[in-house]
Amino acid sequence: MINISNISLTYRGKVIFSDLGWNIKKNRKYGLVGPNGTGKTTFLNVISGITEPEKGNVSVPKNLVLGYLPQDLNYKIKDKTVVEEALEGMKSETDEFIVETVKYKAEKILMGLGFSVDQFDKLASSLSGGWKMRIELAKILLKEPNVLLLDEPTNHLDIESIEWIENYLNSYNGSVVIVSHDKYLIDGMVDTIAELDKGKITEFKGNYSSYLVEKEAIAEIQLSTYKNQQKKIEQTERFIERFRYKNTKAKQVQSRIKMLEKMDMVDAPDSDRKSINLKFPEAPRSGKVVYELSRFTKVYKNEDLGDNTVFEDSGPLLIERGDKIAIAGKNGQGKSTLTKII
């Protein structure tokens, strides 16, 4: 479907891609993975046409519909309702049945992404960044693209919405390229892992778990091959040093020197990427009550949009030594605000 041919790109002197080639096949669901800083977001920008490669090209079929959800929205949503904004970009129809059908689809997608019916007529501009991102995702899904490019789509979603998007993608009849740190999402919906590393892409059949197993096996083979080659190099160099100045061994010495020059060097596995160890100093023992918050109210003042009461006579809250607490709830309910208060 989409053919990426020999693209190269550098940023501030660093090579991001070098003659990278890849094909996005029809109805394939890819998990795009790789260490931080390898250019996954940049690669999606290149595929979508936002970023131009310095070399090579991206070939997209003429009638193919491409949907791209970036990590961050770089524009302000106009003063439209949630449903109106979700319908933005759809072809205007005069047929009332078609209009109502499309509107029903939009509302169904919005509800799947966590919107309530009461929110449909709210101004989209009055919502938080997380809700705006959901509207953008709904807008993309409503167009039913042939290929979806998703960059961390679950960053602003609650648990229920993540489950909905996973089910949606599993039944989605099209190709998906997704970048996500949510390994459970990738495990549940992708059939191919595309690993971007050192400016190249390598495909692995299966989900993320099978990819990790295969990578481990490849790393073991690579390590064994690397050690054997290093041992052979060491033995050869010892032979060269020992007989370098002996006329009777001159031909053999030259032969081994040429062999070393022609040898395809095996890189050592990137074992330093496997894990990171952090050690925190032991905290002093606290009292039984670690934190206590009396009944509280929190209102955000806004002259244009009206005051937003996040908490009204809420609480009290008691945290005791040893408690392990998860703050859960839908977007906009005040989880971050509560954390800041604490």
Side-chain angles (χ1 to χ4, degrees), residues 98-125:
I98 295 176
V99 171
E100 287 301 314
T101 301
V102 173
K103 186 180 177 184
Y104 170 75
K105 280 185 179 179
E107 292 175 349
K108 186 177 179 182
I109 291 172
L110 288 167
M111 289 181 72
L113 291 171
F115 285 90
S116 64
V117 175
D118 294 339
Q119 290 176 293
F120 288 169
D121 293 326
K122 277 191 174 183
L123 286 179
S125 57

PDB file of all heavy atoms in Angstrom, residues 98-125:
ATOM      1  N   ILE A  98     -28.385  10.592   5.294  1.00  0.00           N
ATOM      2  CA  ILE A  98     -26.927  10.443   5.356  1.00  0.00           C
ATOM      3  C   ILE A  98     -26.352  11.307   6.471  1.00  0.00           C
ATOM      4  O   ILE A  98     -25.483  10.876   7.237  1.00  0.00           O
ATOM      5  CB  ILE A  98     -26.286  10.811   4.001  1.00  0.00           C
ATOM      6  CG1 ILE A  98     -26.720   9.816   2.914  1.00  0.00           C
ATOM      7  CG2 ILE A  98     -24.762  10.846   4.101  1.00  0.00           C
ATOM      8  CD1 ILE A  98     -26.227  10.146   1.517  1.00  0.00           C
ATOM      9  N   VAL A  99     -26.861  12.529   6.588  1.00  0.00           N
ATOM     10  CA  VAL A  99     -26.393  13.442   7.632  1.00  0.00           C
ATOM     11  C   VAL A  99     -26.620  12.838   9.013  1.00  0.00           C
ATOM     12  O   VAL A  99     -25.726  12.840   9.870  1.00  0.00           O
ATOM     13  CB  VAL A  99     -27.107  14.807   7.525  1.00  0.00           C
ATOM     14  CG1 VAL A  99     -26.783  15.681   8.737  1.00  0.00           C
ATOM     15  CG2 VAL A  99     -26.706  15.520   6.240  1.00  0.00           C
ATOM     16  N   GLU A 100     -27.796  12.309   9.248  1.00  0.00           N
ATOM     17  CA  GLU A 100     -28.130  11.720  10.548  1.00  0.00           C
ATOM     18  C   GLU A 100     -27.314  10.458  10.806  1.00  0.00           C
ATOM     19  O   GLU A 100     -26.909  10.184  11.940  1.00  0.00           O
ATOM     20  CB  GLU A 100     -29.631  11.409  10.625  1.00  0.00           C
ATOM     21  CG  GLU A 100     -30.505  12.638  10.780  1.00  0.00           C
ATOM     22  CD  GLU A 100     -30.163  13.436  12.022  1.00  0.00           C
ATOM     23  OE1 GLU A 100     -29.999  12.825  13.099  1.00  0.00           O
ATOM     24  OE2 GLU A 100     -30.039  14.661  11.919  1.00  0.00           O
ATOM     25  N   THR A 101     -27.066   9.667   9.744  1.00  0.00           N
ATOM     26  CA  THR A 101     -26.271   8.445   9.887  1.00  0.00           C
ATOM     27  C   THR A 101     -24.844   8.770  10.310  1.00  0.00           C
ATOM     28  O   THR A 101     -24.277   8.138  11.216  1.00  0.00           O
ATOM     29  CB  THR A 101     -26.255   7.640   8.567  1.00  0.00           C
ATOM     30  OG1 THR A 101     -27.593   7.313   8.212  1.00  0.00           O
ATOM     31  CG2 THR A 101     -25.436   6.374   8.718  1.00  0.00           C
ATOM     32  N   VAL A 102     -24.251   9.783   9.642  1.00  0.00           N
ATOM     33  CA  VAL A 102     -22.885  10.188   9.973  1.00  0.00           C
ATOM     34  C   VAL A 102     -22.830  10.756  11.391  1.00  0.00           C
ATOM     35  O   VAL A 102     -21.898  10.471  12.154  1.00  0.00           O
ATOM     36  CB  VAL A 102     -22.366  11.232   8.953  1.00  0.00           C
ATOM     37  CG1 VAL A 102     -21.011  11.773   9.390  1.00  0.00           C
ATOM     38  CG2 VAL A 102     -22.263  10.616   7.563  1.00  0.00           C
ATOM     39  N   LYS A 103     -23.849  11.542  11.760  1.00  0.00           N
ATOM     40  CA  LYS A 103     -23.896  12.105  13.104  1.00  0.00           C
ATOM     41  C   LYS A 103     -24.009  10.997  14.152  1.00  0.00           C
ATOM     42  O   LYS A 103     -23.362  11.062  15.208  1.00  0.00           O
ATOM     43  CB  LYS A 103     -25.084  13.068  13.232  1.00  0.00           C
ATOM     44  CG  LYS A 103     -25.123  13.808  14.564  1.00  0.00           C
ATOM     45  CD  LYS A 103     -26.319  14.740  14.649  1.00  0.00           C
ATOM     46  CE  LYS A 103     -26.382  15.420  16.008  1.00  0.00           C
ATOM     47  NZ  LYS A 103     -27.594  16.258  16.163  1.00  0.00           N
ATOM     48  N   TYR A 104     -24.803   9.970  13.854  1.00  0.00           N
ATOM     49  CA  TYR A 104     -24.956   8.837  14.771  1.00  0.00           C
ATOM     50  C   TYR A 104     -23.618   8.128  14.953  1.00  0.00           C
ATOM     51  O   TYR A 104     -23.247   7.758  16.066  1.00  0.00           O
ATOM     52  CB  TYR A 104     -26.012   7.872  14.238  1.00  0.00           C
ATOM     53  CG  TYR A 104     -26.068   6.558  14.981  1.00  0.00           C
ATOM     54  CD1 TYR A 104     -26.634   6.484  16.247  1.00  0.00           C
ATOM     55  CD2 TYR A 104     -25.525   5.400  14.423  1.00  0.00           C
ATOM     56  CE1 TYR A 104     -26.673   5.285  16.943  1.00  0.00           C
ATOM     57  CE2 TYR A 104     -25.544   4.202  15.111  1.00  0.00           C
ATOM     58  CZ  TYR A 104     -26.120   4.138  16.374  1.00  0.00           C
ATOM     59  OH  TYR A 104     -26.147   2.952  17.057  1.00  0.00           O
ATOM     60  N   LYS A 105     -22.888   7.941  13.837  1.00  0.00           N
ATOM     61  CA  LYS A 105     -21.567   7.295  13.899  1.00  0.00           C
ATOM     62  C   LYS A 105     -20.625   8.111  14.769  1.00  0.00           C
ATOM     63  O   LYS A 105     -19.867   7.566  15.587  1.00  0.00           O
ATOM     64  CB  LYS A 105     -20.968   7.152  12.494  1.00  0.00           C
ATOM     65  CG  LYS A 105     -21.510   5.988  11.689  1.00  0.00           C
ATOM     66  CD  LYS A 105     -20.752   5.881  10.365  1.00  0.00           C
ATOM     67  CE  LYS A 105     -21.244   4.705   9.542  1.00  0.00           C
ATOM     68  NZ  LYS A 105     -20.520   4.609   8.248  1.00  0.00           N
ATOM     69  N   ALA A 106     -20.665   9.445  14.573  1.00  0.00           N
ATOM     70  CA  ALA A 106     -19.791  10.330  15.350  1.00  0.00           C
ATOM     71  C   ALA A 106     -20.096  10.212  16.842  1.00  0.00           C
ATOM     72  O   ALA A 106     -19.188  10.100  17.671  1.00  0.00           O
ATOM     73  CB  ALA A 106     -19.957  11.772  14.878  1.00  0.00           C
ATOM     74  N   GLU A 107     -21.381  10.229  17.185  1.00  0.00           N
ATOM     75  CA  GLU A 107     -21.772  10.135  18.589  1.00  0.00           C
ATOM     76  C   GLU A 107     -21.395   8.783  19.192  1.00  0.00           C
ATOM     77  O   GLU A 107     -20.968   8.703  20.350  1.00  0.00           O
ATOM     78  CB  GLU A 107     -23.276  10.386  18.719  1.00  0.00           C
ATOM     79  CG  GLU A 107     -23.669  11.831  18.402  1.00  0.00           C
ATOM     80  CD  GLU A 107     -25.172  12.052  18.420  1.00  0.00           C
ATOM     81  OE1 GLU A 107     -25.919  11.036  18.462  1.00  0.00           O
ATOM     82  OE2 GLU A 107     -25.613  13.216  18.399  1.00  0.00           O
ATOM     83  N   LYS A 108     -21.523   7.724  18.394  1.00  0.00           N
ATOM     84  CA  LYS A 108     -21.160   6.382  18.862  1.00  0.00           C
ATOM     85  C   LYS A 108     -19.667   6.303  19.165  1.00  0.00           C
ATOM     86  O   LYS A 108     -19.244   5.740  20.187  1.00  0.00           O
ATOM     87  CB  LYS A 108     -21.544   5.348  17.800  1.00  0.00           C
ATOM     88  CG  LYS A 108     -21.352   3.901  18.242  1.00  0.00           C
ATOM     89  CD  LYS A 108     -21.832   2.946  17.155  1.00  0.00           C
ATOM     90  CE  LYS A 108     -21.613   1.491  17.597  1.00  0.00           C
ATOM     91  NZ  LYS A 108     -22.019   0.542  16.536  1.00  0.00           N
ATOM     92  N   ILE A 109     -18.841   6.865  18.268  1.00  0.00           N
ATOM     93  CA  ILE A 109     -17.392   6.871  18.479  1.00  0.00           C
ATOM     94  C   ILE A 109     -17.035   7.721  19.694  1.00  0.00           C
ATOM     95  O   ILE A 109     -16.215   7.320  20.532  1.00  0.00           O
ATOM     96  CB  ILE A 109     -16.658   7.388  17.219  1.00  0.00           C
ATOM     97  CG1 ILE A 109     -16.779   6.365  16.080  1.00  0.00           C
ATOM     98  CG2 ILE A 109     -15.174   7.654  17.511  1.00  0.00           C
ATOM     99  CD1 ILE A 109     -16.254   6.864  14.743  1.00  0.00           C
ATOM    100  N   LEU A 110     -17.663   8.887  19.815  1.00  0.00           N
ATOM    101  CA  LEU A 110     -17.389   9.774  20.958  1.00  0.00           C
ATOM    102  C   LEU A 110     -17.740   9.110  22.283  1.00  0.00           C
ATOM    103  O   LEU A 110     -16.996   9.221  23.266  1.00  0.00           O
ATOM    104  CB  LEU A 110     -18.170  11.082  20.801  1.00  0.00           C
ATOM    105  CG  LEU A 110     -17.670  12.045  19.715  1.00  0.00           C
ATOM    106  CD1 LEU A 110     -18.696  13.133  19.453  1.00  0.00           C
ATOM    107  CD2 LEU A 110     -16.330  12.661  20.112  1.00  0.00           C
ATOM    108  N   MET A 111     -18.850   8.393  22.318  1.00  0.00           N
ATOM    109  CA  MET A 111     -19.235   7.695  23.547  1.00  0.00           C
ATOM    110  C   MET A 111     -18.247   6.582  23.867  1.00  0.00           C
ATOM    111  O   MET A 111     -17.916   6.351  25.032  1.00  0.00           O
ATOM    112  CB  MET A 111     -20.663   7.134  23.400  1.00  0.00           C
ATOM    113  CG  MET A 111     -21.734   8.214  23.402  1.00  0.00           C
ATOM    114  SD  MET A 111     -23.424   7.568  23.261  1.00  0.00           S
ATOM    115  CE  MET A 111     -23.627   6.846  24.892  1.00  0.00           C
ATOM    116  N   GLY A 112     -17.756   5.906  22.825  1.00  0.00           N
ATOM    117  CA  GLY A 112     -16.741   4.878  23.038  1.00  0.00           C
ATOM    118  C   GLY A 112     -15.475   5.458  23.635  1.00  0.00           C
ATOM    119  O   GLY A 112     -14.785   4.799  24.417  1.00  0.00           O
ATOM    120  N   LEU A 113     -15.173   6.707  23.269  1.00  0.00           N
ATOM    121  CA  LEU A 113     -13.977   7.378  23.776  1.00  0.00           C
ATOM    122  C   LEU A 113     -14.219   8.094  25.106  1.00  0.00           C
ATOM    123  O   LEU A 113     -13.363   8.846  25.568  1.00  0.00           O
ATOM    124  CB  LEU A 113     -13.462   8.377  22.736  1.00  0.00           C
ATOM    125  CG  LEU A 113     -12.878   7.737  21.462  1.00  0.00           C
ATOM    126  CD1 LEU A 113     -12.601   8.798  20.408  1.00  0.00           C
ATOM    127  CD2 LEU A 113     -11.616   6.965  21.784  1.00  0.00           C
ATOM    128  N   GLY A 114     -15.382   7.861  25.712  1.00  0.00           N
ATOM    129  CA  GLY A 114     -15.613   8.355  27.068  1.00  0.00           C
ATOM    130  C   GLY A 114     -16.507   9.560  27.198  1.00  0.00           C
ATOM    131  O   GLY A 114     -16.769  10.028  28.313  1.00  0.00           O
ATOM    132  N   PHE A 115     -16.982  10.126  26.081  1.00  0.00           N
ATOM    133  CA  PHE A 115     -17.876  11.283  26.163  1.00  0.00           C
ATOM    134  C   PHE A 115     -19.277  10.847  26.601  1.00  0.00           C
ATOM    135  O   PHE A 115     -19.760   9.788  26.190  1.00  0.00           O
ATOM    136  CB  PHE A 115     -17.981  11.993  24.813  1.00  0.00           C
ATOM    137  CG  PHE A 115     -16.772  12.807  24.448  1.00  0.00           C
ATOM    138  CD1 PHE A 115     -15.723  12.237  23.745  1.00  0.00           C
ATOM    139  CD2 PHE A 115     -16.685  14.138  24.821  1.00  0.00           C
ATOM    140  CE1 PHE A 115     -14.609  12.986  23.416  1.00  0.00           C
ATOM    141  CE2 PHE A 115     -15.571  14.900  24.494  1.00  0.00           C
ATOM    142  CZ  PHE A 115     -14.519  14.316  23.789  1.00  0.00           C
ATOM    143  N   SER A 116     -19.910  11.685  27.392  1.00  0.00           N
ATOM    144  CA  SER A 116     -21.308  11.452  27.761  1.00  0.00           C
ATOM    145  C   SER A 116     -22.189  12.268  26.820  1.00  0.00           C
ATOM    146  O   SER A 116     -21.737  13.212  26.168  1.00  0.00           O
ATOM    147  CB  SER A 116     -21.553  11.880  29.208  1.00  0.00           C
ATOM    148  OG  SER A 116     -21.366  13.279  29.352  1.00  0.00           O
ATOM    149  N   VAL A 117     -23.472  11.901  26.757  1.00  0.00           N
ATOM    150  CA  VAL A 117     -24.413  12.630  25.903  1.00  0.00           C
ATOM    151  C   VAL A 117     -24.470  14.107  26.296  1.00  0.00           C
ATOM    152  O   VAL A 117     -24.612  14.992  25.440  1.00  0.00           O
ATOM    153  CB  VAL A 117     -25.819  11.986  25.977  1.00  0.00           C
ATOM    154  CG1 VAL A 117     -26.832  12.800  25.186  1.00  0.00           C
ATOM    155  CG2 VAL A 117     -25.772  10.541  25.473  1.00  0.00           C
ATOM    156  N   ASP A 118     -24.333  14.393  27.599  1.00  0.00           N
ATOM    157  CA  ASP A 118     -24.383  15.777  28.084  1.00  0.00           C
ATOM    158  C   ASP A 118     -23.244  16.627  27.523  1.00  0.00           C
ATOM    159  O   ASP A 118     -23.353  17.860  27.482  1.00  0.00           O
ATOM    160  CB  ASP A 118     -24.310  15.797  29.617  1.00  0.00           C
ATOM    161  CG  ASP A 118     -25.541  15.159  30.249  1.00  0.00           C
ATOM    162  OD1 ASP A 118     -26.580  15.071  29.561  1.00  0.00           O
ATOM    163  OD2 ASP A 118     -25.461  14.745  31.424  1.00  0.00           O
ATOM    164  N   GLN A 119     -22.145  15.971  27.121  1.00  0.00           N
ATOM    165  CA  GLN A 119     -20.989  16.716  26.626  1.00  0.00           C
ATOM    166  C   GLN A 119     -21.080  17.050  25.137  1.00  0.00           C
ATOM    167  O   GLN A 119     -20.304  17.873  24.649  1.00  0.00           O
ATOM    168  CB  GLN A 119     -19.696  15.922  26.872  1.00  0.00           C
ATOM    169  CG  GLN A 119     -19.294  15.818  28.341  1.00  0.00           C
ATOM    170  CD  GLN A 119     -18.062  14.943  28.508  1.00  0.00           C
ATOM    171  OE1 GLN A 119     -18.113  13.734  28.269  1.00  0.00           O
ATOM    172  NE2 GLN A 119     -16.960  15.541  28.909  1.00  0.00           N
ATOM    173  N   PHE A 120     -21.992  16.411  24.416  1.00  0.00           N
ATOM    174  CA  PHE A 120     -22.053  16.583  22.958  1.00  0.00           C
ATOM    175  C   PHE A 120     -22.233  18.048  22.536  1.00  0.00           C
ATOM    176  O   PHE A 120     -21.686  18.479  21.530  1.00  0.00           O
ATOM    177  CB  PHE A 120     -23.176  15.739  22.361  1.00  0.00           C
ATOM    178  CG  PHE A 120     -22.900  14.265  22.360  1.00  0.00           C
ATOM    179  CD1 PHE A 120     -23.919  13.356  22.069  1.00  0.00           C
ATOM    180  CD2 PHE A 120     -21.638  13.764  22.633  1.00  0.00           C
ATOM    181  CE1 PHE A 120     -23.667  11.987  22.054  1.00  0.00           C
ATOM    182  CE2 PHE A 120     -21.372  12.402  22.629  1.00  0.00           C
ATOM    183  CZ  PHE A 120     -22.395  11.514  22.341  1.00  0.00           C
ATOM    184  N   ASP A 121     -23.022  18.794  23.298  1.00  0.00           N
ATOM    185  CA  ASP A 121     -23.325  20.177  22.921  1.00  0.00           C
ATOM    186  C   ASP A 121     -22.423  21.193  23.613  1.00  0.00           C
ATOM    187  O   ASP A 121     -22.613  22.402  23.464  1.00  0.00           O
ATOM    188  CB  ASP A 121     -24.787  20.499  23.239  1.00  0.00           C
ATOM    189  CG  ASP A 121     -25.749  19.703  22.351  1.00  0.00           C
ATOM    190  OD1 ASP A 121     -25.394  19.468  21.177  1.00  0.00           O
ATOM    191  OD2 ASP A 121     -26.822  19.310  22.843  1.00  0.00           O
ATOM    192  N   LYS A 122     -21.423  20.710  24.350  1.00  0.00           N
ATOM    193  CA  LYS A 122     -20.470  21.618  24.975  1.00  0.00           C
ATOM    194  C   LYS A 122     -19.508  22.160  23.931  1.00  0.00           C
ATOM    195  O   LYS A 122     -19.220  21.495  22.933  1.00  0.00           O
ATOM    196  CB  LYS A 122     -19.669  20.892  26.067  1.00  0.00           C
ATOM    197  CG  LYS A 122     -20.376  20.798  27.400  1.00  0.00           C
ATOM    198  CD  LYS A 122     -19.399  20.321  28.471  1.00  0.00           C
ATOM    199  CE  LYS A 122     -20.049  20.371  29.852  1.00  0.00           C
ATOM    200  NZ  LYS A 122     -19.091  19.972  30.906  1.00  0.00           N
ATOM    201  N   LEU A 123     -18.964  23.345  24.169  1.00  0.00           N
ATOM    202  CA  LEU A 123     -17.959  23.890  23.265  1.00  0.00           C
ATOM    203  C   LEU A 123     -16.671  23.080  23.400  1.00  0.00           C
ATOM    204  O   LEU A 123     -16.161  22.885  24.507  1.00  0.00           O
ATOM    205  CB  LEU A 123     -17.686  25.357  23.590  1.00  0.00           C
ATOM    206  CG  LEU A 123     -18.766  26.368  23.189  1.00  0.00           C
ATOM    207  CD1 LEU A 123     -18.346  27.767  23.615  1.00  0.00           C
ATOM    208  CD2 LEU A 123     -19.024  26.323  21.690  1.00  0.00           C
ATOM    209  N   ALA A 124     -16.167  22.619  22.274  1.00  0.00           N
ATOM    210  CA  ALA A 124     -14.943  21.819  22.285  1.00  0.00           C
ATOM    211  C   ALA A 124     -13.773  22.625  22.839  1.00  0.00           C
ATOM    212  O   ALA A 124     -12.878  22.074  23.490  1.00  0.00           O
ATOM    213  CB  ALA A 124     -14.625  21.328  20.877  1.00  0.00           C
ATOM    214  N   SER A 125     -13.782  23.942  22.617  1.00  0.00           N
ATOM    215  CA  SER A 125     -12.687  24.794  23.076  1.00  0.00           C
ATOM    216  C   SER A 125     -12.619  24.895  24.595  1.00  0.00           C
ATOM    217  O   SER A 125     -11.596  25.280  25.156  1.00  0.00           O
ATOM    218  CB  SER A 125     -12.820  26.193  22.473  1.00  0.00           C
ATOM    219  OG  SER A 125     -14.077  26.764  22.812  1.00  0.00           O
TER     220      SER A 125
END
